[in-house]
């Protein structure tokens, strides 16, 4: 009897510890969201799944380096969680990004080139088919730290997907773009998916038919026209597009491919480089304000 009572106490203590750890994450996220350093926030709710509706909160912040405790509190709490089904930490280096599913075909992406990221997925004990994902990303620009937090309480992704999808340049840009092309980022326009899907289609075509000059020229021209307006893409996506174009150009450089095709590919790469530079300049201007 005494042993059973002791076991019950241990179980209750363990459950309380998990709840307290998740509560610490909530407190850290709330403290950041209620600070004067938040410059944008977005809230979404979905149609109900059974008796519960999915929720998503995204807050964007710019904080001075002297206030890093706001980030440290959140990362410590994310580190300490014990019942996570997914946990990842990326300290700046590399280009891994993570897609957090919210609804079918909808997600929010965190991470990317040189971005610090902490992310965990925790089972929702109140609703069996739900889980809660917390994430924070940030990057230092001068004496300002810029980033965002994400909270998603939503149905678990289908069995064919993990709680959180991971994209890594280790597996090659073509693979990454194919994955990104199938993911709609909820806090950006859906045309991102359309742009990347078309780009992948043209790139596949230009390599598949590289022995037919007229078809290759048509695909190269479509790629060029597509890259003339790539403002919908973020810096990470642009870098993947640039890498894939450079791979194709390098492949064609020593082959019997027309000067016109090579010229269109070079112009396309230049368009992407210009778009990346434009984004970087805009970020520098924002950090000065």
């Amino acid at each position: 009897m005494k042993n059973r009572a002791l076991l019950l106490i241990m179980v209750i203590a363990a459950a309380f510890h998990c709840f307290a750890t998740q509560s610490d994450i909530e407190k850290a996220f709330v403290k950041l969201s209620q600070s004067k350093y938040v410059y944008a926030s977005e809230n979404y709710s979905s149609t109900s799944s059974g008796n519960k509706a999915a929720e998503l909160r995204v807050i964007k912040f710019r904080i001075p380096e002297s206030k890093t405790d706001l980030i440290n509190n959140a990362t410590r709490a994310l580190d300490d969680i014990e019942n996570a089904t997914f946990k990842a930490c990326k300290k700046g280096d590399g280009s891994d990004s993570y897609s957090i599913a919210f609804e079918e075909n909808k997600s929010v992406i965190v991470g990317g080139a040189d971005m610090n990221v902490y992310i965990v997925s925790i089972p929702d004990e109140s609703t069996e088919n739900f889980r809660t994902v917390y994430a924070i990303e940030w990057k230092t620009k001068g004496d300002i730290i810029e980033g965002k937090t994400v909270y998603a309480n939503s149905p678990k992704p289908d069995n064919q997907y993990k709680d959180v999808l991971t994209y890594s340049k280790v597996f090659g840009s073509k693979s990454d773009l194919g994955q990104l092309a199938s993911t709609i980022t909820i806090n950006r326009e859906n045309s991102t998916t359309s742009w990347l899907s078309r780009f992948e289609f043209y790139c596949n075509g230009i390599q598949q038919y590289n022995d037919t000059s007229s078809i290759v020229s048509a695909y190269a021209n479509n790629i060029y026209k597509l890259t003339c307006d790539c403002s919908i893409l973020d810096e990470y996506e642009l870098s993947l597009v640039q890498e894939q174009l450079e791979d194709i150009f390098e492949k064609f450089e020593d082959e019997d491919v027309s000067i016109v095709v090579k010229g269109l590919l070079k112009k396309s790469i230049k368009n992407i480089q210009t778009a990346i530079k434009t984004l970087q300049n805009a970020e520098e201007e924002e950090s000065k304000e």
Side-chain angles (χ1 to χ4, degrees):
M1 185 71 176
K2 185 176 180 181
N3 288 339
R4 286 186 62 189
L6 181 60
L7 180 61
L8 182 61
I9 291 170
M10 289 173 65
V11 169
I12 293 171
F16 177 76
H17 177 69
C18 291
F19 171 79
T21 304
Q22 188 168 344
S23 176
D24 286 342
I25 297 174
E26 286 282 357
K27 288 175 183 176
F29 273 45
V30 167
K31 192 170 183 179
L32 224 171
S33 68
Q34 292 179 349
S35 73
K36 62 182 180 181
Y37 307 112
V38 171
Y39 69 90
S41 62
E42 301 164 70
N43 293 279
Y44 302 90
S45 61
S46 72
T47 53
S48 62
S49 174
N51 297 321
K52 189 170 184 177
E55 294 180 55
L56 176 70
R57 296 195 301 268
V58 179
I59 71 114
K60 299 177 182 178
F61 57 84
R62 292 192 189 99
I63 66 175
E65 281 191 303
S66 60
K67 296 294 181 179
T68 53
D69 59 301
L70 288 169
I71 292 175
N72 293 339
N73 289 339
T75 57
R76 271 196 299 269
L78 291 168
D79 247 345
D80 290 343
I81 196 78
E82 292 186 350
N83 60 331
T85 54
F86 178 90
K87 183 187 289 189
C89 166
K90 183 173 83 72
K91 299 285 186 69
D93 294 336
S95 296
D96 286 5
S97 60
Y98 306 91
S99 176
I100 304 166
F102 170 59
E103 287 185 298
E104 186 179 356
N105 297 324
K106 292 183 182 178
S107 64
V108 60
I109 293 175
V110 295
D114 303 321
M115 188 74 75
N116 299 287
V117 183
Y118 276 72
I119 181 170
V120 298
S121 177
I122 306 167
D124 186 333
E125 294 181 3
S126 66
T127 309
E128 186 178 357
N129 67 323
F130 267 56
R131 55 83 167 104
T132 302
V133 179
Y134 298 91
I136 182 169
E137 68 168 24
W138 74 96
K139 181 188 290 188
T140 302
K141 298 179 179 179
D143 58 354
I144 297 295
I145 301 171
E146 185 169 313
K148 72 178 179 227
T149 63
V150 178
Y151 164 88
N153 180 250
S154 55
K156 297 174 184 176
D158 294 338
N159 291 335
Q160 58 183 316
Y161 299 114
K162 297 178 182 178
D163 271 5
V164 178
L165 294 180
T166 304
Y167 304 127
S168 172
K169 290 180 77 172
V170 170
F171 301 107
S173 61
K174 188 173 179 180
S175 173
D176 284 343
L177 284 168
Q179 290 174 311
L180 287 175
S182 65
T183 303
I184 298 173
T185 306
I186 195 160
N187 59 330
R188 298 171 59 212
E189 294 184 27
N190 294 352
S191 51
T192 306
T193 305
S194 174
W195 198 106
L196 291 169
S197 295
R198 282 182 288 159
F199 179 75
E200 274 293 281
F201 177 77
Y202 298 148
C203 286
N204 289 337
I206 201 172
Q207 295 178 92
Q208 184 177 353
Y209 295 100
N210 58 14
D211 57 343
T212 310
S213 59
S214 60
I215 296 177
V216 172
S217 296
Y219 278 122
N221 190 49
N222 282 330
I223 289 172
Y224 170 69
K225 288 191 291 186
L226 190 61
T227 60
C228 285
D229 182 9
C230 47
S231 56
I232 189 64
L233 304 182
D234 62 25
E235 192 173 336
Y236 177 55
E237 292 159 343
L238 286 167
S239 70
L240 295 179
V241 169
Q242 180 181 341
E243 185 178 334
Q244 185 148 327
L245 285 173
E246 288 173 345
D247 286 346
I248 295 171
F249 183 80
E250 185 178 344
K251 176 185 175 184
F252 285 176
E253 200 165 22
D254 298 325
E255 294 187 11
D256 186 21
V257 178
S258 74
I259 295 174
V260 172
V261 170
K262 292 177 181 178
L264 287 168
L265 289 174
K266 284 186 86 169
K267 287 181 179 179
S268 300
I269 293 169
K270 181 67 175 176
N271 286 342
I272 298 299
Q273 290 172 337
T274 300
I276 291 173
K277 188 65 177 174
T278 299
L279 272 181
Q280 290 173 342
N281 289 340
E283 289 175 356
E284 288 176 8
E285 288 300 317
E286 282 185 8
S287 66
K288 291 176 183 177
E289 294 176 359

